Amino acid sequence: MPSPKAKNPARSGGSPVFGSSNSRYDFMSLTKPLNRSSPPHLVQRQASDPTAARLRASESPTRRRGSSSSTGSASGQGIAEEDGIRLNPSFVRVALSSLLAIDLWMSKQLGVCACEDSSWGSMRPLMKLLEISGHGIPWLAGTAYSLYKSDSAAGQEIMLNLLMGLLLDLVLVAIVKAVVRRRRPAHNRMDMFATFSVDTYSFPSGHATRAAMCVRFLLAHLVLAAPLRVLVLLWAGLVGLSRVLLGRHNVTDVMFGFWMGYCQYNLVEMLWISPQTLQGLMGQLASN
Ligand SMILES: CC(C)=CCC/C(C)=C/COP(=O)(O)O
């Protein structure tokens, strides 16, 4: 993830390319030539840098092998061979770096409601309303209340499983956020209510996972008229979009979040607690 710190050289010019240092992605200049005395993590960055690769190609092992014969240095040849390996940056790494660069650029362009004086700052209250509609607290409270109020076994079963799904979502998102540790976009104003400490991180968007999982859940278990089904889908899409417009997330955080939430629903189905399972569990608890 791009370091939001002003130290970042690419903020003041140069093309954004990513490298990972301490699990963080930073900008680096494409225009700087390869520095042989670079620390190892920078050398690693330069390996994924196509321009740097071109620069290195101009001193490729074949060329240097010729020049090394003039110097006759065995160690020089060793370095050339070593560099020969670095000259083949993996296509996946380059593609990933480019994707991340596009992601950062797009997310910055789309963060038009990040603060009141942003270009679409007047839409911020509406975006924050969408944020609240996808927040964990109203969903947990609403589901727990419906479970409590439900007087049919079928209704209780559905609400219990939705509650379980919501809790599972919180745990899984917290694990991924803690592992990936991608910082929120620099233009985000951290004024969200009721967050966990892992919510300082942005990958994946918890709102997007919850929205995707809940939408699948509701469409599968509630009998809704077609216009309502469309509305539910639209709501999820808008929650995802609002995350980027508010500057809370990069586009990939939300896209991955939607995918993760979609998959989480499969997990909820696999772990489905039926009245029989519940009775069995209760029986086991009572006998222990
Ligand atoms: C306090 C509870 C129950 C949930 C926290 C919900 C929350 C604030 C998630 C962060 O969402 P994003 O990752 O989309 O910003």
Side-chain angles (χ1 to χ4, degrees):
M1 128 116 237
S3 166
K5 301 266 183 248
K7 275 186 236 164
N8 207 326
R11 292 277 156 103
S12 55
S15 309
V17 167
F18 302 87
S20 174
S21 164
N22 297 327
S23 312
R24 309 237 187 288
Y25 284 96
D26 301 311
F27 280 108
M28 62 175 280
S29 173
L30 274 172
T31 53
K32 279 188 187 155
L34 215 176
N35 180 1
R36 286 227 169 266
S37 60
S38 299
H41 70 281
L42 282 181
V43 173
Q44 206 179 346
R45 284 181 187 178
Q46 285 155 349
S48 65
D49 177 347
T51 308
R54 252 182 273 126
L55 282 166
R56 286 196 300 278
S58 66
E59 37 174 77
S60 74
T62 37
R63 284 194 190 196
R64 256 192 268 120
R65 224 170 274 141
S67 64
S68 73
S69 65
S70 63
T71 59
S73 156
S75 68
Q77 206 163 351
I79 291 166
E81 275 162 20
E82 200 182 297
D83 274 7
I85 300 162
R86 291 196 196 125
L87 274 176
N88 297 316
S90 123
F91 173 75
V92 176
R93 277 192 68 141
V94 173
L96 204 67
S97 301
S98 312
L99 184 74
L100 284 172
I102 294 167
D103 179 35
L104 278 190
W105 176 80
M106 258 174 66
S107 308
K108 196 164 184 208
Q109 301 300 310
L110 288 170
V112 289
C113 303
C115 33
E116 279 80 13
D117 49 6
S118 303
S119 50
W120 286 21
S122 56
M123 298 281 282
R124 196 171 156 82
L126 187 64
M127 295 302 134
K128 292 200 83 169
L129 208 62
L130 279 165
E131 176 169 79
I132 294 167
S133 76
H135 195 283
I137 289 186
W139 273 93
L140 283 169
T143 310
Y145 182 75
S146 307
L147 175 64
Y148 171 70
K149 280 284 170 188
S150 180
D151 46 14
S152 73
Q156 284 171 359
E157 182 183 342
I158 288 174
M159 288 305 148
L160 178 69
N161 282 284
L162 181 55
L163 193 61
M164 188 199 70
L166 288 168
L167 293 172
L168 190 75
D169 168 67
L170 285 179
V171 172
L172 292 179
V173 168
I175 291 173
V176 180
K177 279 188 174 178
V179 169
V180 177
R181 294 159 70 93
R182 185 186 202 188
R183 278 194 224 143
R184 288 187 187 265
H187 54 280
N188 173 46
R189 253 176 52 193
M190 200 54 195
D191 57 351
M192 283 167 66
F193 80 100
T195 55
F196 294 115
S197 55
V198 282
D199 292 322
T200 44
Y201 301 120
S202 77
F203 186 92
S205 160
H207 278 72
T209 58
R210 194 161 30 252
M213 188 194 68
C214 289
V215 161
R216 271 197 84 189
F217 193 102
L218 297 181
L219 294 183
H221 295 285
L222 298 189
V223 185
L224 299 174
L228 258 181
R229 295 173 83 83
V230 174
L231 217 65
V232 166
L233 275 166
L234 197 68
W235 166 78
L238 287 175
V239 166
L241 182 67
S242 71
R243 306 310 291 151
V244 180
L245 298 188
L246 278 172
R248 304 272 193 242
H249 290 280
N250 295 303
V251 177
T252 45
D253 303 333
V254 173
M255 280 167 58
F256 184 86
F258 278 145
W259 177 80
M260 187 170 153
Y262 185 91
C263 297
Q264 274 173 194
Y265 175 72
N266 294 344
L267 204 58
V268 172
E269 289 277 285
M270 274 165 57
L271 303 171
W272 191 264
I273 305 171
S274 64
Q276 291 85 348
T277 323
L278 202 60
Q279 268 176 6
L281 283 171
M282 294 303 206
Q284 272 188 348
L285 278 175
S287 64
N288 283 340

